Amino acid sequence: MGSPPQRADARRNRERILQAAFEAFAAEGHLVPLDDIARRAGVGAGTVYRNFPTKEALFQAVVTVRIERIVDEARALGGAADPADAFYGFVTQVVERAMFNHAVCEALAADMRGFDASGMDEQFTAALDVLLRRAQNAGAVRPDVDVQDVRALLAGAMYMERGHRRGDRPGHMTSLACDALRPTTKRNETSGPRDETHCEICATPLTPAATGRPARFCSASCRQKAHRRKKASPKTG
Amino acid sequence: MGSPPQRADARRNRERILQAAFEAFAAEGHLVPLDDIARRAGVGAGTVYRNFPTKEALFQAVVTVRIERIVDEARALGGAADPADAFYGFVTQVVERAMFNHAVCEALAADMRGFDASGMDEQFTAALDVLLRRAQNAGAVRPDVDVQDVRALLAGAMYMERGHRRGDRPGHMTSLACDALRPTTKRNETSGPRDETHCEICATPLTPAATGRPARFCSASCRQKAHRRKKASPKTG
Amino acid sequence: MGSPPQRADARRNRERILQAAFEAFAAEGHLVPLDDIARRAGVGAGTVYRNFPTKEALFQAVVTVRIERIVDEARALGGAADPADAFYGFVTQVVERAMFNHAVCEALAADMRGFDASGMDEQFTAALDVLLRRAQNAGAVRPDVDVQDVRALLAGAMYMERGHRRGDRPGHMTSLACDALRPTTKRNETSGPRDETHCEICATPLTPAATGRPARFCSASCRQKAHRRKKASPKTG
Amino acid sequence: MGSPPQRADARRNRERILQAAFEAFAAEGHLVPLDDIARRAGVGAGTVYRNFPTKEALFQAVVTVRIERIVDEARALGGAADPADAFYGFVTQVVERAMFNHAVCEALAADMRGFDASGMDEQFTAALDVLLRRAQNAGAVRPDVDVQDVRALLAGAMYMERGHRRGDRPGHMTSLACDALRPTTKRNETSGPRDETHCEICATPLTPAATGRPARFCSASCRQKAHRRKKASPKTG
DNA sequence: AATGAATGAGGATTCATTCAT
DNA sequence: GATGAATGAATCCTCATTCAT
């Protein structure tokens, strides 16, 4: 039943189902009723079941296709000139893509729920492993993480981006996650907009000044602390 | 409705319901049927509804209790001598506790779904904010993250620990997440057990040797690379 | 949703559901459990929901069909030769039909509860209005009533017939209701069977005579009163 | 259990329950949950059940009290000077009172649902019968109706008033119902506000004139009909 | 006697899956 | 092969009635 059908129209149906399922699962995850998918695909529910024995199998099929592409990309990057770029770029891109896709998210999820079919998981892990080791070998990734850690981090980054999507900083959590992987000497620090409602040093709420520049500190002693601290690590604003 | 009943048996039932709900939600999150919770508690469904007007209210009640404790701890740590320990210890502990608890996970989740009741969310954020700012002030946390970032990271760490639970390294993902928050100069690097099935350098699968010490590299050239690299960063094993 | 299905068996099922719903609603009104309707129709509850999105929609569908017929009849009578017959005949017939039908009763009910769908209510009112005005124009209906009064009276008549169904005089209450609409000069007075257990004049219970013709009055003075009254209005027996 | 309790506080509770039940049933009829009544009465549900074996029995008790009063009034009117006023006044008053009382409505309802307990129904009927016969005897009520007809009409009038409550004409339907009972020669005709959107004669919708007095007829021929008709029965506007 | 907690049978609705057409 | 109709178990929630305290 999972094998591709012979007739042209049947093959077309299968494609349409996969496409509809992709969209539906991407938008709503496992929750979307199968009838909705069938309707989107313009076929009957029975046709879906002819092609995929269960709803879960359909889900698997959908994400397998996606993961296949991702694996392909990972393999393509396996020989890239810059192992660091290859690795971090890959991670970032995967997250970005999955960020808006409930289905891929669930598939690559930390618990890999609903994604152990067809050995795609192993292939993904293996391909990622190559990128990771090359990056580690190049000194771009700390050596004490393994591919499972990275997989988990990937899942976590997707999760964080999905949940804490702040219009202002897309990709911010992913960037943090990547920083967790870097050796200590290299780091991409980015700074967000400053919080003008609390003291930067001790978090005391600030009384907003009616006029003039907003205050940054609650007191002179906090301003002094900030001053001292700035001298100690001058690179971060 | 949420007020504790007077009679001893009723109070006992209420406790049993909360306990059963705690376990059930911890194990399966929002998904568990309310009837299951009632059965676990040894009461009828009606009794659950007498105590909590909706399933959601029960969920809230369960997590509110948990979050309350966490907030209390955060507040207690607000005056700790070592801001760094206070902050990282708190984060680690929260994750550890929530790790096995789907419900708390969902409550503190990145999207805070199903946890806006009773202002507990704000209290949690505020208490965490204090710990964060003190740690930043002490130079123990990079200055370009805010409390929302930390909340997201917390949620992500819980998620990662839940999903990628590897018997061997509990808390490992949390440790990584914490590292993402540290200024570059300080880092807790830990190393896991060596993977004996792949070349350490190029990730080529290794043929296990029938006897003797297991191989670490696939070839002489990889061994050479490893040697060169070791000289460059001598601190990591 | 409400569109008729193509397949023969489905169409048959839909009909059976409508029929079962018609009977069930007729007998018990909105109260019948939907599962009962499904069982009567010999289908699963899901099948009912496939055809009608909610129980209420099913109710509407059932009564809409009935009201449609009634509206059709009203329109057909719009050009009748005798406006009085058309109007009173229509009213009588509507009540007769709805009399045994809780559902139609509820639909045409005084408060029109649960019958504002599909504009059928307005159509009914409009068609009735035409009959009413023609009858008023012909002097067969008192001029100080409007179509809303007639609607109310219709509902009331149905209600009365339903409740006080006396095997002996079906339509009696409707006849009374119609009389309320007639100009004073015309009236259809009908008389029911005489009550042989009370004095006709003062309602004192009568001791039934063991033999002979049953008594009509409790005393000679009442007989006398009746005699006098009979002379005053000789047409009613 | 229906028997009045001995202790003073118990008697007080019983009264409070009856009062609360009266209000609750009046407002919502049979639908109101018993727990609500208990709460309104400030007692536990168990106390309600101690006094009344079922919810239905409570309902009966409540309406029995009300009907008792109505019966008392009917009896008091039995010797009134003017039998016509006594009868029509009574009918009107009963309807007016019940109009805002779901419970009494249901009790006196056409189908007498939920009101066959304690012989109150018979007493009501008997008392009404006396008023009716006296009015008939006085020539104020057509002779071809019996007390069951009047009961039905009462129920119907309540029903109509409840459903078609038009702010503008409270009691209008009751007035109509009374007219149905009058001998042909006497009648209370009232006229409502004229409908300015349809032709008075043929009910054709009227195009509202932008200025000037609103039109009453759709055409000259209808105006002519109206003119002829006015001459025939000059008393009604 | 009073309380109000507990019960549990429904009731409306959804949806994965099967199967007649 | 395709269709979409049918199924019926599952889910949340209500409320009359019973019973332990």
Side-chain angles (χ1 to χ4, degrees):
Chain A
M1 68 243 38
S3 54
Q6 306 313 316
R7 275 164 50 174
D9 56 344
R11 210 158 40 242
R12 196 162 51 244
N13 266 346
R14 190 185 165 84
E15 282 316 308
R16 287 167 69 185
I17 291 167
L18 278 170
Q19 181 60 25
F22 167 67
E23 288 164 15
F25 283 137
E28 309 180 48
H30 271 101
L31 285 178
V32 63
L34 189 133
D35 284 358
D36 283 8
I37 296 177
R39 188 160 33 249
R40 275 177 194 250
V43 303
T47 306
V48 177
Y49 275 91
R50 165 165 297 277
N51 284 277
F52 306 92
T54 64
K55 187 187 178 188
E56 184 59 23
L58 173 57
F59 184 84
Q60 300 281 340
V62 164
V63 293
T64 296
V65 169
R66 297 288 143 174
I67 309 292
E68 260 171 4
R69 289 196 204 165
I70 294 178
V71 169
D72 285 350
E73 285 168 27
R75 285 178 179 149
L77 286 169
D82 185 337
D85 278 4
F87 176 75
Y88 288 111
F90 177 71
V91 166
T92 304
Q93 226 200 12
V94 167
V95 175
E96 260 170 27
R97 207 176 305 172
M99 219 168 107
F100 300 106
N101 190 323
H102 220 130
V104 172
C105 236
E106 288 180 8
L108 288 182
D111 58 359
M112 302 183 220
R113 207 187 71 181
F115 187 60
D116 28 18
S118 54
M120 197 48 59
D121 184 63
E122 277 174 38
Q123 293 182 44
F124 175 74
T125 304
L128 180 62
D129 200 20
V130 170
L131 295 185
L132 169 63
R133 286 173 194 262
R134 289 190 71 227
Q136 282 178 320
N137 195 25
V141 171
R142 51 196 277 185
D144 62 339
V145 301
D146 63 17
V147 70
Q148 291 305 335
D149 295 333
V150 177
R151 280 217 44 175
L153 218 53
L154 261 177
M158 288 188 280
Y159 185 70
M160 293 187 274
E161 294 285 354
R162 281 191 75 80
H164 274 252
R165 192 141 53 234
R166 296 161 67 177
D168 50 350
R169 302 209 249 167
H172 182 54
M173 298 315 300
T174 310
S175 158
L176 270 184
C178 286
D179 283 348
L181 295 175
R182 289 181 214 277
T184 45
T185 45
K186 311 185 179 178
R187 168 147 312 170
N188 263 343
E189 304 211 348
T190 67
S191 75
R194 189 167 62 81
D195 173 7
E196 296 179 349
T197 66
H198 293 82
C199 169
E200 283 187 11
I201 296 304
C202 69
T204 301
L206 294 174
T207 316
T211 61
R213 235 177 18 167
R216 301 182 64 154
F217 309 101
C218 67
S219 64
S221 88
C222 279
R223 188 189 327 275
Q224 183 67 13
K225 279 183 193 169
H227 182 65
R228 276 196 299 272
R229 197 167 149 240
K230 207 162 190 173
K231 281 200 288 193
S233 58
K235 36 191 168 288
T236 54
Chain B
M1 128 243 5
S3 54
Q6 304 312 317
R7 273 163 51 176
D9 56 343
R11 209 156 43 235
R12 197 162 47 246
N13 264 342
R14 188 173 217 274
E15 284 314 310
R16 287 168 68 187
I17 290 167
L18 276 170
Q19 182 60 24
F22 170 67
E23 288 164 15
F25 283 137
E28 308 179 48
H30 270 102
L31 285 178
V32 306
L34 190 134
D35 287 2
D36 282 8
I37 295 177
R39 192 165 25 254
R40 274 176 195 249
V43 302
T47 304
V48 178
Y49 279 96
R50 161 174 289 275
N51 284 278
F52 305 93
T54 63
K55 186 188 178 185
E56 182 61 21
L58 175 56
F59 184 84
Q60 299 281 340
V62 165
V63 292
T64 296
V65 170
R66 301 284 145 177
I67 309 290
E68 261 172 4
R69 289 195 206 163
I70 294 178
V71 169
D72 284 349
E73 284 166 29
R75 285 178 179 148
L77 286 170
D82 185 336
D85 277 5
F87 176 74
Y88 287 110
F90 177 71
V91 165
T92 304
Q93 227 198 13
V94 166
V95 174
E96 260 169 27
R97 203 173 309 169
M99 218 168 109
F100 300 107
N101 191 323
H102 215 130
V104 173
C105 255
E106 287 181 6
L108 289 182
D111 58 358
M112 302 181 220
R113 210 189 66 184
F115 187 61
D116 27 18
S118 54
M120 201 49 60
D121 183 63
E122 276 176 36
Q123 292 183 41
F124 175 75
T125 303
L128 180 62
D129 201 19
V130 170
L131 295 185
L132 169 63
R133 284 168 195 266
R134 289 190 71 227
Q136 284 178 318
N137 193 23
V141 172
R142 54 198 276 188
D144 62 338
V145 300
D146 62 18
V147 70
Q148 292 304 337
D149 295 332
V150 176
R151 281 216 45 169
L153 217 54
L154 261 175
M158 289 186 279
Y159 186 69
M160 293 187 274
E161 294 285 354
R162 280 191 70 79
H164 277 253
R165 192 142 53 235
R166 296 160 66 175
D168 50 348
R169 301 207 250 167
H172 181 55
M173 298 315 299
T174 311
S175 159
L176 270 184
C178 286
D179 283 348
L181 295 174
R182 288 182 214 276
T184 45
T185 46
K186 311 184 181 180
R187 170 153 303 174
N188 262 344
E189 304 210 346
T190 67
S191 75
R194 191 168 60 81
D195 173 7
E196 295 180 348
T197 66
H198 292 83
C199 168
E200 282 186 13
I201 295 304
C202 71
T204 301
L206 294 174
T207 316
T211 62
R213 227 168 37 154
R216 299 181 65 156
F217 307 102
C218 66
S219 64
S221 91
C222 276
R223 186 187 329 275
Q224 183 64 13
K225 277 182 193 169
H227 182 65
R228 276 198 299 274
R229 198 170 148 236
K230 206 163 192 175
K231 282 201 285 193
S233 58
K235 36 194 171 281
T236 54
Chain C
M1 131 238 11
S3 55
Q6 306 312 318
R7 272 165 49 177
D9 57 343
R11 210 156 43 237
R12 196 161 50 244
N13 264 342
R14 188 173 217 274
E15 284 315 310
R16 288 168 68 187
I17 290 168
L18 276 170
Q19 182 59 25
F22 170 67
E23 288 164 16
F25 282 138
E28 308 179 46
H30 271 101
L31 286 178
V32 284
L34 190 135
D35 286 2
D36 283 7
I37 296 177
R39 191 164 27 254
R40 275 177 194 250
V43 303
T47 305
V48 177
Y49 278 95
R50 160 174 289 276
N51 283 278
F52 305 94
T54 63
K55 186 187 179 185
E56 182 61 22
L58 175 56
F59 183 85
Q60 298 281 341
V62 165
V63 292
T64 296
V65 170
R66 301 284 147 176
I67 308 290
E68 260 172 5
R69 289 196 207 164
I70 294 178
V71 169
D72 285 349
E73 285 167 29
R75 285 178 180 151
L77 287 170
D82 186 337
D85 277 5
F87 176 74
Y88 287 111
F90 177 70
V91 165
T92 304
Q93 227 199 14
V94 167
V95 175
E96 261 170 25
R97 204 173 309 170
M99 217 168 109
F100 299 107
N101 190 322
H102 215 130
V104 173
C105 253
E106 288 182 5
L108 289 182
D111 58 359
M112 303 183 217
R113 211 189 65 184
F115 187 61
D116 28 16
S118 54
M120 201 47 61
D121 183 64
E122 275 176 37
Q123 293 183 40
F124 175 75
T125 302
L128 179 62
D129 201 19
V130 170
L131 296 184
L132 169 63
R133 284 168 195 266
R134 288 190 72 227
Q136 283 178 319
N137 193 24
V141 171
R142 50 197 279 188
D144 63 338
V145 300
D146 63 18
V147 70
Q148 290 306 334
D149 295 332
V150 177
R151 281 216 44 170
L153 219 54
L154 261 176
M158 289 187 279
Y159 186 68
M160 292 187 275
E161 295 284 356
R162 279 191 72 78
H164 276 253
R165 189 141 57 234
R166 297 161 66 176
D168 50 349
R169 301 208 249 168
H172 183 54
M173 298 315 299
T174 310
S175 159
L176 270 185
C178 286
D179 284 348
L181 295 174
R182 289 182 213 277
T184 45
T185 46
K186 310 184 181 180
R187 169 156 302 176
N188 260 344
E189 304 212 346
T190 67
S191 76
R194 191 167 60 79
D195 173 7
E196 296 179 348
T197 67
H198 293 84
C199 168
E200 281 188 11
I201 295 304
C202 71
T204 299
L206 295 172
T207 316
T211 62
R213 227 170 36 158
R216 300 181 64 156
F217 308 101
C218 67
S219 64
S221 90
C222 277
R223 187 187 330 275
Q224 183 66 15
K225 279 184 190 168
H227 181 65
R228 277 197 299 275
R229 206 174 140 232
K230 205 161 193 174
K231 283 203 286 195
S233 58
K235 37 193 170 284
T236 55
Chain D
M1 70 256 25
S3 54
Q6 307 312 318
R7 276 165 48 175
D9 56 342
R11 209 155 44 239
R12 197 164 50 246
N13 266 345
R14 190 186 165 85
E15 283 316 308
R16 288 168 69 186
I17 291 167
L18 278 169
Q19 181 59 26
F22 167 66
E23 288 164 15
F25 283 137
E28 308 180 48
H30 271 101
L31 284 179
V32 64
L34 189 132
D35 283 359
D36 281 9
I37 297 177
R39 189 164 28 252
R40 274 177 194 249
V43 303
T47 305
V48 178
Y49 275 91
R50 167 164 295 275
N51 285 277
F52 306 92
T54 63
K55 186 187 180 188
E56 183 59 22
L58 174 57
F59 184 84
Q60 300 280 341
V62 163
V63 292
T64 296
V65 169
R66 297 287 143 176
I67 309 291
E68 260 171 5
R69 289 195 205 166
I70 294 179
V71 169
D72 286 348
E73 285 167 28
R75 285 178 179 150
L77 286 169
D82 184 336
D85 278 5
F87 176 75
Y88 288 111
F90 178 72
V91 165
T92 304
Q93 226 198 17
V94 167
V95 174
E96 260 171 24
R97 208 175 306 172
M99 219 168 107
F100 300 107
N101 190 324
H102 220 128
V104 173
C105 237
E106 287 180 8
L108 289 181
D111 58 359
M112 300 182 224
R113 208 187 69 182
F115 187 60
D116 29 18
S118 57
M120 198 49 57
D121 184 62
E122 278 176 35
Q123 293 182 44
F124 174 75
T125 304
L128 180 62
D129 202 20
V130 171
L131 295 184
L132 169 62
R133 284 173 195 264
R134 289 190 71 226
Q136 282 177 320
N137 194 23
V141 172
R142 50 197 279 185
D144 62 338
V145 300
D146 64 15
V147 70
Q148 290 306 336
D149 295 334
V150 177
R151 280 218 43 174
L153 219 54
L154 261 176
M158 287 187 281
Y159 186 69
M160 293 187 274
E161 293 285 355
R162 279 190 77 80
H164 274 254
R165 193 141 54 236
R166 297 160 66 176
D168 50 349
R169 302 209 248 167
H172 183 53
M173 299 315 299
T174 310
S175 160
L176 269 184
C178 287
D179 284 348
L181 295 174
R182 289 179 214 277
T184 46
T185 46
K186 310 184 180 180
R187 168 146 313 170
N188 264 343
E189 304 210 348
T190 67
S191 74
R194 188 168 63 81
D195 173 6
E196 296 179 350
T197 67
H198 294 82
C199 169
E200 282 187 12
I201 296 305
C202 69
T204 300
L206 294 174
T207 314
T211 62
R213 233 172 26 162
R216 301 181 64 154
F217 309 102
C218 68
S219 64
S221 88
C222 278
R223 188 188 328 275
Q224 183 65 13
K225 279 183 192 169
H227 183 64
R228 275 196 300 273
R229 199 173 145 233
K230 207 160 190 175
K231 281 201 285 194
S233 57
K235 36 191 170 289
T236 53

